[in-house]
Amino acid sequence: MNKKILTFLILVWATNQTVSQPDTTPGGAPGVVDPLYSDAKIAAASGDQERTQVRLELAKAEELLWKNNLLLLASKFNIDARKAGIEQAGLYANPNIFVDQSIFAEPTQRYFDFTRSGQTVVQIQQVFLLGGKIDKRVRVAELSAKMSEQEFYDLARALITKLRRTFYFIHYYRDAIAFYDKSLIALEKTVNSAELAYKRRAVLQSEVLRLKALLFFLRKEREDLRIKVLEKEADLRVLLNEDSYKSQSVAIVPVLDLDFVEKATIEGLKLDNMLAKAREYRPDLKKAVQALRYEEANLELQHANAIPDLAFGPMYNRGGTAFQNYWGITAQLNIPIFDRNQGNIKAAEKSIQVRKQELKNLILEVENDVSVALATAKAKDDLYKKFRNTYTSDYANLAEDMILSYEKRYISILEFADFFETYRSSIVEMLRLQTDRMEAIEGVNYSVGTGLIVPSYKSSGETGGANEGGSK
């Protein structure tokens, strides 16, 4: 990498000054590349030049996510399926009809005699669930549906966080690619000039080869970044599932609220308040609580299942008893001697203990997640704000002086190259730091389960519903 940047330095200024005419940028300094004021921020790569660039705002992307994401749609159907289980749990058992008809009647020597001379038995029974089984079944089904709702919100929380992080990644990595593009343009000119100079024996062949090697390494780095952007664009297409973005010929250009990005701060967040909000909003924590209540309701249901149900109803028998037309009442009740549902009751009791331990463990995980997310975001935010206004701008201001010093031979080529190596590294690393910072801020939102630091745009109705579930 050091050799690479070293040659880059030779490329952009040294060779341009010794072999060709200086390349003057809008800032007035020959060859200085300042990505913070570059036109190439949305420009880009050889591949992007052949693709249609479509700008996409984060608010629009989140709206499309709620509308089109296949995983969210599947999760909604799962909620509907669980709610249908509530309806099923509240239904009464169907009545049972029993008919007994004699095949052959001896007195009349007739088959299937349905007259008064034949024998016919009709019995109707209705099963009555005792012990409040229906109410307890409905309660279990309701808690199951509530768990599926929290699963939906937890999925939405993860997908929205992934969407925002993907947005920031693509935005800042496109800036890095733009920086490489402008550097490579200058480098390619320098290589061409160096080759012409070599033919005139003005430079050594070793210098030309070093420039070509640098060009290769820089282009490889740039292509690696471009591949990562393409992979993130693919993730974005899956998340949004929108026809207008599905084509590979479309390059998605994220549009961020840069004012929000710059003013986003972690300073006002307190760990205790964040933990309280996490207990209130985290959907996975809510689901764990609902899972415990589900097992408790299931234990009550298993105790109720130990109570036998009563089957009761009228019966009519014609010609089969001492009376020609016999009317009676039937009742059926299982005697709980051997099977008192004791196995299922014990299993339900143990399941409660399992859910309690899982809930305690999850609470510990949530507390640690929030603490780590806050510490990480503060570290990234402090580092960025410490250097954002002076670090890269100081390098850009110093670049012109370094170039003049090199032209007047006040500094050596090694000193000049070392400066530009540091300058390039600082620009690229600052862009990565911006990406890491915004990802860390999204990590805070994710750990708490609600949007503590989010853009102020108006959310759609569905997004508001997600906020109620703790996934905004």
Side-chain angles (χ1 to χ4, degrees), residues 65 152-163 239 446 471:
L65 176 73
F152 170 80
Y153 291 129
D154 196 27
L155 175 62
R157 175 177 69 120
L159 292 178
I160 288 178
T161 300
K162 183 178 180 180
L163 173 67
L239 288 171
Y446 181 81
S471 64

Side-chain angles (χ1 to χ4, degrees), residues 224-240:
D224 289 341
L225 293 179
R226 179 172 173 269
I227 290 173
K228 291 180 180 179
V229 169
L230 291 176
E231 292 173 348
K232 292 298 182 178
E233 283 185 356
D235 292 341
L236 206 56
R237 291 187 178 93
V238 174
L239 288 171
L240 301 182

Side-chain angles (χ1 to χ4, degrees), residues 5 119 145 156 189 221-222 242 250 256 258 279 305 319 341 347 359 366 413 421 449:
I5 306 304
Q119 180 184 357
K189 291 180 180 179
E221 282 187 349
R222 180 231 182 250
E242 178 67 18
V250 174
L256 300 182
L258 297 181
R279 296 187 187 98
N305 287 338
N341 204 37
L359 178 58
V366 169
I413 184 64
E421 173 188 355

Side-chain angles (χ1 to χ4, degrees), residues 14 25 37 96 117 123 127-128 149 174 275 279 311 326 360 383 401 403 423 429 435 442 460 471:
T25 60
Y37 304 95
N96 177 271
S117 301
Q123 175 181 308
V127 177
F128 295 92
E149 289 178 355
R174 277 184 171 274
L275 290 174
R279 296 187 187 98
Y326 172 79
K360 291 179 181 179
L383 182 61
D401 294 337
I403 293 168
Y423 175 57
E429 290 304 318
T435 305
E442 283 306 316
S460 64
S471 64

Side-chain angles (χ1 to χ4, degrees), residues 53 86 175 186 234-235 252 277 279 359 413 438 448 454 457:
Q53 295 187 3
I86 300 176
D175 284 356
D235 292 341
I252 302 176
K277 285 187 174 294
R279 296 187 187 98
L359 178 58
I413 184 64
M438 295 310 299
V448 175
V454 294
Y457 56 78

Side-chain angles (χ1 to χ4, degrees), residues 257-328:
D257 183 354
L258 297 181
D259 183 62
F260 159 75
V261 171
E262 286 298 313
K263 294 181 179 179
T265 180
I266 311 295
E267 297 175 358
L269 299 181
K270 302 299 181 182
L271 182 59
D272 292 341
N273 294 336
M274 291 176 61
L275 290 174
K277 285 187 174 294
R279 296 187 187 98
E280 179 181 359
Y281 288 106
R282 280 278 292 249
D284 54 344
L285 195 56
K286 288 184 176 182
K287 178 187 173 184
V289 173
Q290 297 294 347
L292 176 58
R293 293 176 180 173
Y294 173 89
E295 296 299 343
E296 292 173 345
N298 183 55
L299 177 60
E300 295 181 2
L301 176 60
Q302 297 307 321
H303 279 294
N305 287 338
I307 301 173
D309 300 323
L310 173 64
F312 181 83
M315 184 190 74
Y316 170 72
N317 191 328
R318 182 180 63 191
T321 65
F323 306 97
Q324 178 63 24
N325 295 295
Y326 172 79
W327 289 90

